[in-house]
Amino acid sequence: MVSNYNEILHENAEIRTARLVLRKFRKEDAADVFEYASDEETMKFLTVGTHPSIDVSRGVIFNYFLSRTGIFAIEFDKKCIGCMDFRIDHEDEKGSFGYVLNRKYWGRGFMTEALTAVLELAFEKLELNRVESTHYVGNEGSGRVMQKCGMKFEGVGIREKKIKGVFRDVVHYAILKEHFRGGQK
């Protein structure tokens, strides 16, 4: 068991992929965050509401995104196009994540690329046993991203979560270290 998860996350605060940079948020990202976080369609399945102003986006950057390790801005072509929030359960040696991507960039494989990089971090550097996540019924695109990254369907929690006043069915996915890339590094 790795005991220094936060140190490893800090050391890997920037991850480069073929097209993306996963990095810490910066104050200069406020306009980009507001662009996607003010869009109803982009934010439809998130537990938080849309951002009514750029000041709210600035506040989220300073008070939440920059307050923890494991929160990555997803940068493409020098623009912040989304966010990946990776959380670690130290006791159970597992991780979970949530993500959001600017709707203008949907369908281009960006989230699959970002999630693959985070799974590599989880299994190859953090040495976690399991990574899990969920999506809500109606947001099957998110489930397809998880499937493309090798995550397996585990079941549906019926009316499990109340999101913006509506009870949602929650679809559960997970992947174990030995199943990531067939257990190969």
Side-chain angles (χ1 to χ4, degrees), residues 34-46:
F34 179 67
E35 181 179 317
Y36 69 75
S38 63
D39 179 46
E40 288 286 341
E41 185 66 20
T42 297
M43 301 294 282
K44 181 177 180 179
F45 292 103
L46 273 68

Side-chain angles (χ1 to χ4, degrees), residues 146-180:
M146 294 178 212
Q147 291 168 7
K148 288 177 189 175
C149 292
M151 298 181 76
K152 301 298 181 208
F153 171 78
E154 291 192 320
V156 177
I158 305 301
R159 295 182 60 182
E160 180 178 340
K161 186 90 172 152
K162 191 173 186 179
I163 305 297
K164 300 174 184 164
V166 177
F167 285 103
R168 299 274 184 185
D169 294 348
V170 179
V171 184
H172 295 260
Y173 281 88
I175 185 169
L176 300 177
K177 181 178 184 175
E178 62 261 26
H179 298 146
F180 181 65

